[in-house]
Amino acid sequence: MFRSAFNKISSLNLSKSTQVRSLSQLHGKLSGKVAVVTASTAGIGFAIAKRLAKDGASVVLSSRKKENVDKAVSEIKSISDNVSGIPCHVGKQEERKLLLDFAVAKYGGIDILVSNAGVNPAICRVLDTDEKSWDKIFDINVKAPFLLTQAAVPLIAKRGGGSIVYVSSIVAYRPLECIGAYSVSKTALLGLTKAVADQCASVNIRVNCLCPGMIHTKFGSVLLSSDEISEYIIQATPMRRVGKPDECAGIVSFVCSDDASYVTGESFVVAGGVYTRL
């Protein structure tokens, strides 16, 4: 009898939890919006996708490996039922098209594009970068976001407007010698943000940029594995610590919401107080 009553209470609590979650999504600041986030199965991309879902958006995750996509989708399902994913190598035109087509077929359109994918095959000073590494860095970090934007803008405009967010880096402002070419590619994203924001303002698409400092991610761990570089980064950060992926997500949700309806062409540094500009 006790077990039966306990099971009934547990069932009621589960239903209540589901109702609360659904109610939260319904009234979230991004409710009714559809977001596509590239490289979103780990690190900063995953944190952004999770936050957008929490704030009510329907979210399409992507990365190169299907098993990573499935795992990330499963994790975010605890927050929102309106999340799905598809493998996508952003350097391949046919896969970029499949990603956007999937979002349209699944949710009826696209309101938000977060371009987060990036690579860095060269740990060296900028002039020591070989041509193959340079081409790969710019193909994925700059050319792919540009081409993805070209394809996404008509879809976002068709919905009456929306938001695009590029994920750059603090090194866009303060290049790190050991990742010279990567730093230059991230600076290029600042220019892309400004140029696309100017062109897309007339169709009500706002374009902004996130510039994280050193964050605890798989990519960040490569630099943090060096005691010398790690100590330099910590000492150069007024907050004297490395950031967390979740600390990058809130600002993205903000710039994609109506709270930022008059904000476009801007870059937002999330770097623990590291000096970047006046």
Side-chain angles (χ1 to χ4, degrees):
M1 182 176 179
F2 174 79
R3 183 180 296 276
S4 176
F6 177 80
N7 289 338
K8 185 175 182 180
I9 291 170
S10 297
S11 176
L12 288 172
N13 286 339
L14 179 61
S15 297
K16 184 178 180 181
S17 173
T18 302
Q19 290 170 7
V20 169
R21 187 178 72 188
S22 299
L23 192 63
S24 174
Q25 289 175 247
L26 183 64
H27 296 290
K29 62 184 176 183
L30 298 178
S31 62
K33 304 295 184 184
V34 179
V36 173
V37 188
T38 65
S40 49
T41 59
I44 292 172
F46 178 74
I48 290 171
K50 184 170 63 174
R51 179 57 182 265
L52 298 183
K54 182 179 179 181
D55 287 341
S58 298
V59 181
V60 176
L61 285 75
S62 69
S63 72
R64 288 178 299 169
K65 297 181 179 179
K66 184 179 185 301
E67 57 266 32
N68 292 343
V69 172
D70 292 343
K71 181 175 182 291
V73 168
S74 178
E75 289 183 41
I76 299 181
K77 282 283 189 183
S78 64
I79 297 171
S80 169
D81 294 325
N82 294 323
V83 58
S84 55
I86 181 173
C88 176
H89 186 313
V90 296
K92 298 180 178 180
Q93 189 275 334
E94 65 275 15
E95 295 194 22
R96 292 193 301 268
K97 184 178 186 303
L98 282 173
L99 172 63
L100 299 181
D101 288 347
F102 177 84
V104 172
K106 183 76 174 178
Y107 298 114
I110 299 170
D111 304 285
I112 297 166
L113 171 65
V114 180
S115 179
N116 175 60
V119 297
N120 181 49
I123 304 295
C124 60
R125 296 178 297 176
V126 64
L127 295 182
D128 297 330
T129 309
D130 64 88
E131 184 177 0
K132 183 178 179 181
S133 295
W134 180 273
D135 287 344
K136 182 173 182 178
I137 289 168
F138 276 81
D139 277 349
I140 302 300
N141 296 6
V142 183
K143 183 179 177 181
F146 163 70
L147 293 174
L148 191 58
T149 300
Q150 274 191 328
V153 162
L155 301 175
I156 300 173
K158 189 176 181 180
R159 299 265 286 187
S163 292
I164 296 171
V165 179
Y166 300 118
V167 178
S168 179
S169 169
I170 188 70
V171 299
Y173 294 99
R174 299 184 64 178
L176 269 181
E177 189 176 75
C178 62
I179 49 173
Y182 176 85
S183 299
V184 177
S185 75
K186 291 302 184 177
T187 304
L189 287 180
L190 302 183
L192 185 63
T193 298
K194 292 287 188 184
V196 177
D198 285 349
Q199 183 171 350
C200 289
S202 61
V203 290
N204 196 35
I205 297 175
R206 296 180 296 102
V207 186
N208 293 288
C209 191
L210 170 69
C211 298
M214 183 52 63
I215 307 295
H216 275 297
T217 63
K218 184 178 180 181
F219 177 82
S221 66
V222 175
L223 296 177
L224 293 173
S225 63
S226 165
D227 291 339
E228 183 180 352
I229 296 174
S230 178
E231 181 61 22
Y232 168 79
I233 290 169
I234 295 296
Q235 291 305 314
T237 304
M239 291 183 72
R240 296 292 188 272
R241 68 174 177 86
V242 175
K244 306 170 187 174
D246 286 349
E247 293 178 300
C248 297
I251 191 69
V252 175
S253 182
F254 164 72
V255 297
C256 292
S257 75
D258 290 340
D259 290 339
S261 58
Y262 199 48
V263 178
T264 193
E266 298 296 333
S267 57
F268 296 85
V269 175
V270 181
V274 175
Y275 177 81
T276 55
R277 54 194 167 175
L278 292 176

